[in-house]
């Protein structure tokens, strides 16, 4: 079992715990999908976003999700990793996820990653056992061991192995970059700063189930081969300037959107 697969399986288990905390949604809500939107994070809209709080994603994760590590300030969503005791963890970290699911369309986020080996600054979509679905996932992950690259990947029915490292240029923690993917039934395209960096056309490697949108910053003591040997020095923050989802056929949600050139 690779470290990434182990991470994914533990994530499924932990989100099941999270679902118990949230409570089961009615059947009709489980099938709903979100509509086109853009969020500049002048505030955290709690009707759109759920803030993870009070648990972790398993033994591989060395921090506890805390609502205190999530805030909107200066027109940015800020997710912070810092020292702080919670249950059996010595660190606190931040995550938000949409309450609704989203299907095919264009997903975009403008992000500055956190700094630090053993950390993961992630923008991804996910659905799994917590929502009584098989595990599907589409990822952008900046790993703290090398912030000059971003890893793209996808899972289909809990099967991954589609990783690709894409050069960012300057460190992803040194400035903001635009991450986007265009998800269609028979094609999945990843973009970095407007440039196509990965084009998946094999239907067996493309998720089909509607998913929630996530932003998360977390650390590990165990997955050092994948994320780097953890070495905490000071609090660090992942910043998200904007996120947008554009459904197929809808007008683009902001000037400069990838969707403006596709529709």
């Amino acid at each position: 079992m690779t470290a990434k697969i182990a991470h994914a399986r533990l994530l499924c288990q932990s989100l099941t715990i999270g679902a118990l905390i949230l409570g089961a949604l009615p059947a009709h809500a489980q099938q709903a999908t979100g509509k086109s939107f853009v969020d500049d994070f002048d505030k955290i809209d709690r009707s759109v976003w759920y803030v993870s709080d009070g648990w972790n994603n398993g033994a591989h994760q060395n921090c506890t999700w805390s609502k205190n590590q999530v805030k909107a300030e200066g027109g940015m969503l800020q997710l912070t990793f810092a020292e702080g005791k919670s249950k059996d963890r010595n660190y606190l970290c931040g995550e938000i996820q949409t309450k609704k699911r989203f299907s095919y369309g264009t997903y975009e986020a403008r992000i500055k990653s956190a700094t630090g080996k053993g950390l993961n600054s992630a923008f991804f979509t996910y659905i799994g056992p917590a929502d009584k679905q098989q595990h599907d996932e589409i990822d952008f992950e900046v790993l703290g061991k090398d912030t000059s690259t971003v890893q793209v990947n996808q899972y289909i029915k809990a099967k991954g192995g589609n990783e690709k490292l894409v050069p960012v240029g300057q460190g992803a923690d040194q400035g903001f970059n635009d991450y986007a993917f265009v998800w269609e039934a028979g094609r999945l395209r990843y973009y970095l700063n407007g440039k196509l960096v990965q084009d998946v056309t094999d239907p067996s490697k493309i998720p089909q189930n509607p998913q929630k949108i996530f932003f998360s910053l977390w650390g590990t003591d165990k997955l050092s081969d994948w994320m780097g040997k953890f070495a905490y020095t000071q609090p660090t923050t992942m910043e998200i300037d904007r996120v947008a989802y554009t459904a197929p056929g809808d007008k683009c949600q902001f000037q400069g959107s990838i969707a403006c050139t596709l529709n």
Side-chain angles (χ1 to χ4, degrees), residues 89-160:
R89 300 291 192 272
N90 293 319
Y91 300 95
L92 302 174
C93 49
E95 177 184 75
I96 65 169
Q97 55 182 281
T98 55
K99 293 182 176 180
K100 292 184 178 180
R101 305 177 191 184
F102 298 80
S103 190
Y104 300 133
T106 302
Y107 296 73
E108 302 174 84
R110 184 165 176 79
I111 302 169
K112 180 181 178 182
S113 74
T115 300
K117 293 181 179 179
L119 299 181
N120 187 328
S121 300
F123 160 46
F124 63 103
T125 56
Y126 169 86
I127 202 70
D131 293 290
K132 300 180 180 179
Q133 295 286 330
Q134 296 189 72
H135 174 188
D136 277 3
E137 184 175 343
I138 302 172
D139 297 320
F140 277 103
E141 295 173 295
V142 176
L143 308 178
K145 71 177 183 181
D146 181 10
T147 58
S148 70
T149 63
V150 60
Q151 178 178 282
V152 300
N153 190 26
Q154 66 271 5
Y155 284 81
I156 302 88
K157 298 180 180 178
K159 182 180 180 180

Side-chain angles (χ1 to χ4, degrees), residues 13 45 47 140 147 157 161 173 186 198 201 224 230-231 239 243:
Q13 295 168 0
D45 186 342
S47 69
F140 277 103
T147 58
K157 298 180 180 178
D173 58 340
Q198 174 80 316
T201 56
S224 56
F230 179 76
E239 295 182 287
V243 63

